[in-house]
Structures are given as C-alpha cells and as structure tokens.
Amino acid sequence: MTWVTGVSDNLMANSHALSHCLYSKRVCVCVCVVLEENEVRTMVDPNSRNDPKLQELMKVLIDWINDVLVGERIIVKDLAEDLYDGQVLQKLFEKLEGERLNVAEVTQSEIAQKQKLQTVLEKINDTLKVSIRNIKWTIDSVHAKSIVAILHLLVALSQHCRAPIRLPDHVSIQVVVVQKREGILQSRQVQEEITGNTEYVFTRDAFDTLFDHAPDKLNVVKKTLITFVNKHLNKLNLEVSELDTQFADGVYLVLLMGLLEGYFVPLFNFFLTPEHFDQKVHNVAFSFELMQDGSLEKPKPRAEDIVNCDLKSTLRVLYNLFTKYRNVE
C-alpha cells in the first residue's frame, strides 16, 4: 500500500488492479478497486462520517425505520449494511404505502439481490415521481452500500410520506471522487448536500381529522373551497371541479394569486402549459413565493406534494388562501 501526500497528486496504476491510499490533512481514503479507463468512483471522506449533524440524520432515519417496522421484527442498526440488498427497503415501502410487492422474500446471490432491489427501487421511484435527472440513487450504488445514495433515498421517502420526524438542516458529506485518465488516478473533493432547509415537520391537523373521521364534513370544506376559487377563476373564464388534480400543475395557483392580489402575472415567470414534472414543481413553488409576497406564511406542504395530487396538501394551501381572501371580490 502506497501513501501519497495531497489528494490532487497523480497515482500511477496499471489496467488490472490498484491498491493505493489518497492522503491529505483532511482525508485519508483507501482505494482497493479495479478502475477502467475514464471510470469514476466516489467514496466518503472518513472524517466526514464523524460530523455530528450527519450522525444525527442517520440516527433519526434509523429510529424512523425501526418505528415503522416494529411489527416486522426487523431492527436496523446500520443503514448501509442493512438496506443494501433491498429486503428492508421492501418492507419499509410496503408498510408506508400499504402495498405488497411481488418479490422474493429472501435473496442470497448478488444477481437475485439486484433483481429484487431493481423492482423495489422502480416502485419507489414511481411513487416518489422524481424526475430522472433528480434521482440520486441507483441499483448499483445502493447495492454497493453507498451511504450517500441510501441517505438521499431515505430522505426523499420520508419527506414524501410526511414522516413525523425532524431531519437536521443542511447536512452534507465530504466525498472524494477518483477517476482514471490515461492510466493515472486523479482525485478531487466535493460537498454532497443531503438535506437543505427541512423546516417542515409533519404534524396532524384538522384536515387529518376530517379525512379520518368526518368525510361528510370534508365534502363541505371541499365545496366551500371550490366555490371560493371559482369565484375568482371565473373572471378568466376558468373553472375547477377537482381540487387535487386541477391545481397539480401550479397554473391555477399562480393565476389565482394574481387575481386575489390584483395584478397580472407575466407569462414568462411560469409555464402556462407545463409538460414535465419539474415544470409543474416550478409553477407551484412560484405560486408559494407569490403567497409569501402577499404576507402569507410559507405553505407547509412541499411543491412536490401538490404536483403529486396529494389532496390534503392542496386543501391546506387553498384553505390558507380562503382564510385571508374570503372577502375579496
């Protein structure tokens, strides 16, 4: 094993195998892998694993998973070691979504594990409705026990299902990226952000109670909100009948804010006919900015919740508008 000072130093390697350590004052990473020409590998700076906020994030996620799976006699102790084969991810998804996946319960071989993991991740990705370019995990990275990929996946899943947990803000991991070029290893360090501003913590409110125990009263609330929004959208010869789906692309939310505040929203600020998920998220996020400009608090639901046609999230946003603008003509 060879030690070299400076992570930017070039390391000579043959085309078959290498066994080197990259070292600097900030990082000491062992690389014992086979790299093809132009192949890129990433690894976590060991010092970064000791970051208190990262440790807190992993603990919060482990406790959440164990709470969800308490009836399955599954206890997760290490995210990378316990989730890489898809078994725990399968059980977690089934519990959260109430849907059973058609996969083998126990898989031993690497091929079988990856096949199962592929099925589980495809189902999770479909449920999350994350655009392909924003997916930060793959079958190979999860199976290779990449803590970065697994954390990205769990954070997205917990936010999608509005888990009753508080994720620490602005958690990042120092990652060393190694690439082989012309037979020489080159390396660099990057900061991988895992969480941004996670100020929204899911807590039960009146809408949860309505959904769970008073569907008749829920229908009254929906009719009231439909009447409210149509009172204003009718000025543009627009009308809604389904709150969850017709606000999902953000267009009506943007137009409604302009009507309620009495201004014209320039068409170049949003997508009038959004075709892609990202465009819809942009529209909803832009409408949230307009709400804040109108002295409303930032909506607690995520823009993605509205785009995913989550009725409770849509009702929460519209009810806040109704509360402030109910007397606007």
Side-chain angles (χ1 to χ4, degrees), residues 212-228:
D212 295 341
H213 306 293
D216 53 333
K217 294 182 180 179
L218 175 63
N219 289 329
V220 173
V221 172
K222 290 170 65 176
K223 289 179 181 178
T224 299
L225 293 177
I226 288 175
T227 300
F228 165 71

Side-chain angles (χ1 to χ4, degrees), residues 153-171:
L153 173 60
L154 292 176
V155 168
L157 192 57
S158 68
Q159 291 178 335
H160 170 77
C161 69
R162 301 193 303 279
I165 57 178
R166 176 61 148 172
L167 300 178
D169 293 339
H170 305 296
V171 177

